[in-house]
Amino acid sequence: MLFFSFFKTLVGKEVAVELKNDVVLTGTLHSVDQYLNIKLTSVRVVNQERYPQLTALKNCFVRGSVVRYVQINPHDVDTELLQDATRKANSPIAVGGGKGGE
Amino acid sequence: MASTLSEWKSKPVTVLTCDGRLITGILAGYDQLQNLILKRCVEKVYSLDSPVEEVELGLFVVRGDNVAVIAECEEKADGEEEGEEDIRAEPIHEIQGNR
């Protein structure tokens, strides 16, 4: 849920999504869901000469399971806040609940 | 905020599958897992040596596991098809690492 919340803060920002087949799509993050499926608007394929078949893409839905990286502008992220939230989410207190009863 | 396909119901879409195929058809149905029903769909096969080849597929159900990208596209207007034939491209790689 942490990354879902994180991506929600980036809606409206420009991101580059690199897929596991090496295709990179840049565009505006329109929406994200709990599976980290991403919808992008104003899409442009990076490296258009390699992928002329994808020139006509304007708005697309990217399945979360095929994403390798999401590249974000550092100015759009508060890295310290993100690190804090990650630490809390992975702390012994948060994780402890699932480990009882052995 | 939810990322749904509802905007594109009954619209022409192009689906990039995990094995690198491009299938264009009308999105007749879908579910949460991105299982899709595509009407009147056509696979566009691109290669470096020859013009675009279109393979008519008819009515297809595509399992969501195999879907990489779904993109909205414009309905083919007869005048625009001529530009399409000239596209020469290497095939798109398959999605690596999806077990």
Side-chain angles (χ1 to χ4, degrees), chain A residues 8-96:
Chain A
K8 281 198 283 194
T9 68
L10 295 174
V11 167
K13 302 283 191 310
E14 282 287 303
V15 295
V17 181
E18 179 171 330
L19 308 182
K20 292 179 183 173
N21 60 2
D22 301 338
V23 172
V24 183
L25 302 170
T26 60
T28 309
L29 183 64
H30 174 272
S31 56
V32 65
D33 67 14
Q34 52 174 318
Y35 306 109
L36 306 186
N37 295 326
I38 289 171
K39 209 188 272 181
L40 294 175
T41 54
S42 310
V43 179
R44 193 182 59 83
V45 189
V46 165
N47 204 352
Q48 295 240 3
E49 325 94 61
R50 169 69 181 83
Y51 302 110
Q53 320 92 313
L54 305 175
T55 316
L57 260 51
K58 296 269 176 306
N59 303 321
C60 64
F61 172 98
V62 181
R63 193 168 207 255
S65 60
V66 305
V67 174
R68 182 184 292 139
Y69 304 123
V70 178
Q71 295 157 17
I72 318 163
N73 188 325
H75 297 302
D76 293 336
V77 187
D78 182 341
T79 31
E80 296 209 4
L81 201 61
L82 187 60
Q83 284 178 331
D84 278 345
T86 308
R87 241 173 265 129
K88 285 201 195 98
N90 291 310
S91 74
I93 306 155
V95 172

Side-chain angles (χ1 to χ4, degrees), chain A residues 1-8 33-36 89:
Chain A
M1 290 307 278
L2 192 162
F3 282 93
F4 175 36
S5 306
F6 169 64
F7 281 121
K8 281 198 283 194
D33 67 14
Q34 52 174 318
Y35 306 109
L36 306 186

Side-chain angles (χ1 to χ4, degrees), chain B residues 5-30:
Chain B
L5 298 172
S6 53
E7 289 175 22
W8 300 334
K9 204 158 50 161
S10 308
K11 297 238 167 62
V13 292
T14 297
V15 178
L16 174 63
T17 59
C18 288
D19 57 356
R21 284 190 252 209
L22 281 161
I23 301 177
T24 302
I26 298 184
L27 187 64
Y30 60 90

